[in-house]
Amino acid sequence: MKILGIETSCDETAAAVVEDGRRALSDVVATQIELHRRWGGVVPELASRNHVMQVLPVVDEALTRAGVSPAELDGLAVTSGPGLIGALLVGVQVAKALAAAWEKPLARVNHLEGHLVASFLAERPPEFPFLGLVVSGGHTSLYAAEGFGRYRLLGATRDDAAGEAFDKGAKLLGLPYPGGIAIDRLAKEGDAAAVRFPRAIVRGSELDFSFSGLKTALLHHVRRHGVPEGKGLADLCASYQEAIVGALVHKLFRAARTYQFRRVVLSGGVAANSRLRAAVAARAAEYEDLEVFLPAPRLCTDNAAMIAVAGTHALERGEREGPGLHADAGWRL
Ligand code: KG4
Ligand code: ZN
């Protein structure tokens, strides 16, 4: 079964062809990072306009690289939410038009489900059930994944997403967008114990996250001491990163213990963070019966192959979308 996936929910225009929900025959991502960098974040109108220009060439490229003609496809899958509404609409309209023109079935995919199943493209895929942590620029959520299409939300952020904490922190420090990568790189030379940041504790719910206090703590630190240079900046980045990673690891393993999961799957852009990957692997090694699945960084960040994986299973379940499919910016998984 060969499925074409299309993803335009934020600032990457992506298309991919995936076979049997397991193998990416192609995986094309046209990123808009350079376009948004001078504004310090994603500008929704610029994103939509750029998706309009990129989407057909990207789809063409995905088919060409896979060596698959439209007639050989078994179906299409598109991200219809959550995300930026104008950006989502581009992918949804194009997918509907292509599905109608090529007379192929179309499935809609929740972007978060895409992240949760990205690890099925890895050489060693997980099995259900697993505990999934989606950590991206827009989301920080823990899910019990019981099967394709069957997810239960266990905890989420009350305010900023982890990626937002990275991006906003980096902005305060004068680092380029997207901040996660910049902080990750600088932190490698820094001492994570140099500056103490508050541990993000959420009262009431044991598995929820909160990162806005941390960002405020960084703001106060910078107001008091200014933005350091050289080693001082590296120390500050390492300390700030450690506070984010510490909260993620703490809640992830608490959830794994509470619900007795034997598999933990990470995904989303922040799962590409080198310190988070090392900390999760180290912590998991303390458990006898807990396997960790960390997809390669390019599977963690936004891509269309993960959308095609989720779409393959939606089509197998008989789900079909017609011309009435709408983008849903706030679609909850
Ligand atoms: O999943 P993604 O590509 O897009 C969303 O769905 O949001 O995630 C983007 C987020 C950004 O906040 C970016 O700063 C963060 O992932 N990110 C990282 C790293 N690479 C990307 N954060 C920390 N360390 C990284 N290496
Ligand atoms: Zn994403």
Side-chain angles (χ1 to χ4, degrees), residues 3-19:
I3 303 299
L4 171 70
I6 298 175
E7 152 69 42
T8 64
S9 70
C10 189
D11 61 345
E12 330 277 356
T13 317
V17 178
V18 169
E19 189 171 37

Side-chain angles (χ1 to χ4, degrees), residues 70-86:
E72 291 169 304
L73 288 173
D74 296 289
L76 286 82
V78 65
T79 307
S80 65
L84 301 170
I85 187 67

Side-chain angles (χ1 to χ4, degrees), residues 67-320:
V68 169
S69 70
E72 291 169 304
L73 288 173
D74 296 289
L76 286 82
V78 65
T79 307
S80 65
L84 301 170
I85 187 67
L88 287 164
L89 274 169
V90 178
V92 168
Q93 296 302 345
V94 163
K96 287 195 294 189
L98 293 178
W102 296 340
E103 298 177 351
K104 302 289 176 185
L106 171 66
R108 64 168 189 163
V109 172
N110 184 296
H111 183 78
L112 297 176
E113 180 183 14
H115 278 303
L116 282 169
V117 302
S119 55
F120 285 89
L121 292 160
E123 214 144 277
R124 192 179 62 98
E127 279 171 41
F128 291 105
F130 62 76
L131 174 65
L133 173 64
V134 181
V135 265
S136 68
H139 302 272
T140 305
S141 306
L142 277 167
Y143 287 95
E146 282 142 15
F148 288 105
R150 288 164 48 214
Y151 312 96
R152 200 155 42 86
L153 185 65
L154 302 177
T157 183
R158 295 282 179 89
D159 40 59
D160 291 346
E164 238 175 318
F166 272 108
D167 295 342
K168 290 178 176 172
K171 208 169 180 175
L172 279 173
L173 297 175
L175 300 172
Y177 170 84
I181 297 156
I183 290 183
D184 190 350
R185 195 179 311 128
L186 276 166
K188 287 195 172 113
E189 315 295 325
D191 172 9
V195 183
R196 279 185 68 105
F197 282 104
R199 183 45 114 51
I201 300 291
V202 186
R203 283 178 218 292
S205 171
E206 304 240 296
L207 296 180
D208 281 345
F209 302 87
S210 167
F211 292 104
S212 66
L214 187 58
K215 182 189 62 194
T216 310
L218 179 65
L219 177 67
H220 288 313
H221 184 91
V222 166
R223 282 211 183 124
R224 211 172 311 130
H225 306 286
V227 177
E229 287 174 9
K231 179 75 167 73
L233 181 59
D235 286 349
L236 192 52
C237 285
S239 303
Y240 185 70
Q241 171 175 275
E242 200 62 25
I244 299 173
V245 167
L248 292 172
V249 170
H250 179 68
K251 296 293 166 95
L252 177 66
F253 285 88
R254 167 173 283 184
R257 271 198 316 273
T258 305
Y259 293 95
Q260 303 197 323
F261 279 103
R262 290 168 51 201
R263 299 174 202 92
V264 165
V265 173
L266 268 74
S267 56
V270 179
N273 182 267
S274 59
R275 178 64 195 129
L276 177 62
R277 297 172 79 87
V280 168
R283 190 68 191 277
E286 295 171 14
Y287 292 75
E288 254 174 34
D289 199 17
L290 189 66
E291 268 187 291
V292 172
F293 296 84
L294 285 165
R298 73 161 287 140
L299 286 175
C300 289
T301 50
D302 286 351
N303 64 84
M306 67 185 194
I307 303 305
V309 173
T312 301
H313 295 276
L315 290 169
E316 276 176 350
R317 292 194 296 271
E319 294 178 18
R320 298 286 183 274

Side-chain angles (χ1 to χ4, degrees), residues 28-45:
V28 180
V29 180
T31 181
Q32 305 179 359
I33 283 178
E34 287 308 321
L35 182 74
H36 298 288
R37 179 164 284 153
R38 59 180 293 215
W39 308 103
V42 178
V43 182
E45 283 77 8

